[in-house]
Amino acid sequence: MSETRTGTTPHARAADAGTVPRPRPGGRSARVRAAVHRAVAELLTEGPAEHLTMPAIAARAGVHPTTVYRRWGTLGELLAAVAASRFSGDLVVPDTGSLRGDLEQWTADLATDLTDPDSIAIIRAALSSGTEGGCACTTERQEQLASMLDRERSRGGAAPTVERALDALLAPVYYRALFTPAPGTPDWARSLVDTLLPRPA
């Protein structure tokens, strides 16, 4: 008569078999995060950021408001998290073989990305939430600029400081996208590199 096991858990059975169960990818936490981030993006396309509230976001995401407050604390923290997620990995750092070529391609890509109304809506909402939200929109892009400048130095070339590059490239592209009727074109964005790296006379 064969022995029948009762009351064993999947983990216990896996341990008996000499294996460790692999955790399932994602999970509830990841699903909540995705649903809340998506809810923020959707609500921003439907109305002004001033009407965005944690309860409205929770309702759109299909979760309880306490879940949202427990994870993000304040609307500002949530908007900063959404902005950081949206603007992480959206631009590829080019490697053209020269600093000028890298910066021209990167700045043109940045200008193109900022023609997206959804991106602009997230930036404006994040800015309205405070300094943390504004910084979340540009942190990775500052790091990308720094990496291109460092790569030029490693090639033996001269490169300006990150602060100088931010003032010459990032600032005017964001200003044009956020505070003027027409965002900058890729060709205009490329021309900004000449102010940072003047061409020989």
Side-chain angles (χ1 to χ4, degrees):
M1 183 183 222
S2 62
E3 182 180 359
T4 302
R5 293 175 183 254
T6 60
T8 56
T9 66
H11 194 285
R13 289 195 295 272
D16 289 344
T19 61
V20 176
R22 296 180 180 179
R24 290 180 299 174
R28 183 177 185 277
S29 180
R31 290 194 298 272
V32 168
R33 176 183 176 278
V36 170
H37 281 217
R38 184 169 55 251
V40 170
E42 290 175 354
L43 289 170
L44 285 174
T45 65
E46 296 172 7
E50 291 79 9
H51 296 168
L52 197 66
T53 65
M54 296 287 260
I57 293 167
R60 175 62 63 92
V63 300
H64 198 278
T66 57
T67 300
V68 180
Y69 281 110
R70 184 169 57 248
R71 178 157 183 172
W72 287 281
T74 67
L75 179 60
E77 292 176 14
L78 173 55
L79 290 173
V82 172
S85 176
R86 165 63 183 81
F87 300 110
S88 294
D90 59 328
L91 291 183
V92 175
V93 177
D95 187 0
T96 65
S98 73
L99 179 59
R100 179 178 294 277
D102 294 344
L103 294 178
E104 286 180 346
Q105 183 61 57
W106 182 85
T107 309
D109 291 343
L110 174 62
T112 299
D113 186 61
L114 292 179
T115 61
D116 177 15
D118 293 344
S119 295
I120 296 300
I122 291 174
I123 293 172
R124 286 181 172 146
L127 287 171
S128 70
S129 70
T131 303
E132 181 183 1
C135 290
C137 298
T138 60
T139 296
E140 180 161 316
R141 288 168 176 181
Q142 293 182 46
E143 292 172 353
Q144 290 176 335
L145 264 178
S147 72
M148 288 183 282
L149 299 174
D150 287 342
R151 184 168 60 201
E152 178 64 13
R153 295 186 190 100
S154 71
R155 291 190 289 230
T161 64
V162 174
E163 290 74 15
R164 176 78 181 95
L166 291 174
D167 290 343
L169 305 179
L170 201 69
V173 173
Y174 269 79
Y175 178 85
R176 180 72 71 90
L178 291 167
F179 301 112
T180 67
T185 65
D187 286 342
W188 167 80
R190 289 188 192 95
S191 72
L192 295 172
V193 178
D194 287 336
T195 66
L196 181 66
L197 304 175
R199 296 181 184 274

